[in-house]
Amino acid sequence: MLDPFGDEAKRLVREEFGGINELLSIIPSYVGIDQAIERVSWIKSGEIPEEILKLGDVQDLLTFYALLGALAFSPYGIEMELVKESNARIYSERLRRAGRIEGTSIALESVSGNEIPIRDRTILERTHHQELPPGERERLRLKYKIPLGKLLELWDGSLKEVYIRKGYAYLTEEQGLRLWERSFERNFERAVNLLYEVRDELPEYYLRLYERLGEIAREHFKERLERMGSAEAQPLRFDLFPPCVKIALGGVPAGLRNYAITVLLTSFLSYARLCPNPPRRDVRIRDCVSDLSIVEKEILPVIIEAGNRCSPPLFEDQPHEVKNIWYHLGFGLTDKPTLEDSGNSTWYFPPNCSKIRANAPQLCRPDRHCRNIKNPLTYYLRRLYLENRGKAGGDESAEGGEENG
């Protein structure tokens, strides 16, 4: 298979397996964990095994989606980086060998001989330079075209690098592959985001596979991890919060107070600070901390301050709402909780973006980072991931480059 997000892959998922949920449910019966791990373990040597490059379409799809299912437990971390990097290289190599990029997830078309004026071809492809070896001539040849609007959605370089004519961008094979890689990254993150929402329904197989991925990722990124933070418990980064949370922090009018403060803010702040990447949704606060000081000193004061910024102030108007805050944190209806009380009620997970839009549309003011995000917590995780990746690579513009496509 040349592209796991292309039309043929979509057809297989839909027609042969009945949809993504059904596909994920049958994978554990057909793909062993060791077999799935083979798709990434080769990265230690840097050489892709031939048996992986020559996998049939169905087996390729099953092993690829096995890894995607595992990433539902950590949508933005070194495990995702490992799977994305290794599989982008696998599919890129297949595309190079196939000598074509048509039929993938990007709308590339082959260029016919008379579309580009001879004079322009002479200059761009250097056709009169007889000293050029055949390989260099092939490298310069404009092979593909794509509507300019589609190019701008993905292209991360300067438009000066691209030949544009009559609403189309004309690309060499290397430029086409570069565009495909951007498309793969975007589709990959979109898929992981979607699966994050159903991780509680996934078989234990995927959690065990995720743990194995973590072992390989920690070894592969060993040096980088010293410079790159992870999505573990750490001080809150208010500048990376999603717009809905920032609006809630600023205070809201009476009709929004309980939802914005008690439902959204309480759940988001607690998970973002204590357990940003929970392995499951029935986790308790006492599974993440050994005492309540972080909750009492770092989380609750922020919630109280936001409540006091409301009009009228929430906790002056409804003093009993403090008990409700502790209830949503999983301690039951109390205002004097102990760590042992953790688990007396559910520690509520942040509501999905769709629920926020339905229940409190005034809070939903998407920015450019909200694209393909389904939950405020994954927004925060992604911003942390992009910033940490930029620091690790010594590239302060990594986040901007990721989004400008």
Side-chain angles (χ1 to χ4, degrees), residues 4-59:
F5 303 112
D7 291 340
E8 176 61 13
K10 290 177 181 177
R11 186 195 67 77
L12 282 173
V13 171
R14 182 179 63 253
E15 297 180 10
E16 301 296 328
F17 300 104
I20 186 64
N21 291 336
E22 290 76 8
L23 174 63
L24 291 171
S25 69
I26 69 167
I27 282 176
S29 301
Y30 289 90
V31 179
I33 288 178
D34 288 342
Q35 188 180 2
I37 287 295
E38 287 175 2
R39 286 191 73 110
V40 298
S41 58
W42 60 267
I43 206 163
K44 299 175 186 176
S45 67
E47 186 172 344
I48 309 171
E50 282 296 316
E51 55 266 30
I52 290 178
L53 290 171
K54 294 178 179 177
L55 278 176
D57 286 356
V58 172
Q59 194 62 24

Side-chain angles (χ1 to χ4, degrees), residues 109-118 120-121 142-146 163 165-166 168-170:
E109 304 172 38
S110 294
V111 177
S112 61
N114 58 359
E115 285 189 60
I116 302 173
I118 294 176
D120 289 355
R121 272 202 184 274
L142 296 175
K143 296 180 64 176
Y144 303 106
K145 68 177 182 179
I146 185 172
Y163 176 70
R165 176 178 168 79
K166 295 184 177 180
Y168 279 88
Y170 291 79

